[in-house]
Amino acid sequence: RLFAGRPLRSARCAARGPRAPASAGGDPMADILNACRDPATCTVPVINCCEELSAVVGREQRSPDSEQLHVEARHTQATRNVVDVEAEEAYFRRLEAASRLAREEERRQEKEEKERTQQEKKEQAERLEAKEAARKERDLVAAFLRVHEYDHVNAKKRIRWFKYRYPLHEAVETNDPTVVALLLRAGAEKGLKDSSGRTPAALALKKDKNGSHEQVLEVLKLQPGN
């Protein structure tokens, strides 16, 4: 506080003697030292003088090789930062891709499970429908046999003393192609002959008048049977 604002000189500066002429090569350190050798003309405060000397010394000590090393170090650090950022971005991209694949796989499995469930329900419905249709067919065949007094689909029934026929002949007589088809599917033999030696097809041909038994003949022709 006593020397605030006063251009103080250090004892070392005063001991250096009178100011030397300015350096010919424009050396800043020599210029500062020369300015401090004359106590009468030195106007540089001690603190400022020391700071300026330190700055000059720092600049003098920093060689071109050192500057290059500093530049390379900064460049290396910047490169590392860029590499770190790129690596982090690549990691998050891989993470996002893996997450997307996981979601797609989950959706695919859900879709397959849904399709499999629908297919199972469809097959079950078809089985139930086929089972119900088979039951209805059996009921129709049983009802036909019961009405016409046949024990089974290939049973022979006597109608007169020497006259007899089979369920298929009975169905041809009634001109019912549906019953003919059901009897054949139930195992009726279409090669059985009645008492007149006629097969169901031969009987249908005899009964056919202007195509009246055409459907029965078609069923007997197409439907498999013995």
Side-chain angles (χ1 to χ4, degrees), residues 105-130:
E105 178 66 17
E106 184 178 359
R107 287 194 295 269
R108 185 187 65 81
Q109 292 180 358
E110 289 178 354
K111 182 179 178 181
E112 290 181 354
E113 181 66 22
K114 184 178 180 180
E115 291 177 353
R116 183 167 54 254
T117 302
Q118 292 177 351
Q119 184 65 23
E120 290 177 355
K121 290 181 178 180
K122 181 180 178 181
E123 292 176 355
Q124 184 178 6
E126 290 176 353
R127 288 194 298 269
L128 291 175
E129 185 178 354

Side-chain angles (χ1 to χ4, degrees), residues 186-200:
E189 299 179 8
K190 60 182 179 180
L192 293 176
K193 297 180 181 180
D194 61 6
S195 57
S196 299
R198 297 169 300 192
T199 63

Side-chain angles (χ1 to χ4, degrees), residues 84-222:
D84 292 341
V85 171
E86 292 178 352
E88 185 177 1
E89 291 177 352
Y91 168 76
F92 282 110
R93 284 196 299 269
R94 291 193 301 269
L95 186 63
E96 183 179 359
S99 178
R100 182 173 62 254
L101 291 176
R103 291 194 300 271
E104 291 176 356
E105 178 66 17
E106 184 178 359
R107 287 194 295 269
R108 185 187 65 81
Q109 292 180 358
E110 289 178 354
K111 182 179 178 181
E112 290 181 354
E113 181 66 22
K114 184 178 180 180
E115 291 177 353
R116 183 167 54 254
T117 302
Q118 292 177 351
Q119 184 65 23
E120 290 177 355
K121 290 181 178 180
K122 181 180 178 181
E123 292 176 355
Q124 184 178 6
E126 290 176 353
R127 288 194 298 269
L128 291 175
E129 185 178 354
K131 185 176 181 180
E132 181 66 18
R135 186 190 64 78
K136 289 181 178 180
E137 290 182 1
R138 289 195 301 271
D139 291 345
L140 288 174
V141 171
F144 177 82
L145 296 176
R146 185 171 57 253
V147 168
H148 296 280
E149 300 178 350
Y150 289 97
D151 294 333
H152 52 83
V153 294
N154 290 316
K156 182 171 67 173
K157 184 181 73 170
R158 189 176 299 276
I159 54 177
R160 292 194 187 94
W161 286 99
F162 299 103
K163 298 288 185 181
Y164 60 87
R165 64 177 55 159
Y166 295 92
L168 270 179
H169 295 84
E170 196 78 47
V172 170
E173 286 282 353
T174 59
N175 194 16
D176 193 338
T178 301
V179 174
V180 172
L182 292 176
L183 289 172
L184 289 173
R185 283 201 291 271
E189 299 179 8
K190 60 182 179 180
L192 293 176
K193 297 180 181 180
D194 61 6
S195 57
S196 299
R198 297 169 300 192
T199 63
L203 180 61
L205 285 173
K206 180 182 179 181
K207 295 287 184 179
D208 184 50
K209 304 297 182 182
N210 299 322
S212 59
H213 286 64
E214 182 178 359
Q215 293 182 1
V216 170
L217 288 169
E218 190 70 20
V219 172
L220 290 171
K221 178 180 178 181
L222 298 178

Side-chain angles (χ1 to χ4, degrees), residues 58-74:
R59 288 196 300 271
E60 289 294 329
Q61 291 178 349
R62 186 176 298 173
S63 62
D65 293 339
S66 178
E67 287 288 346
Q68 181 65 24
L69 290 176
H70 282 288
V71 171
E72 292 178 356
R74 289 194 296 271

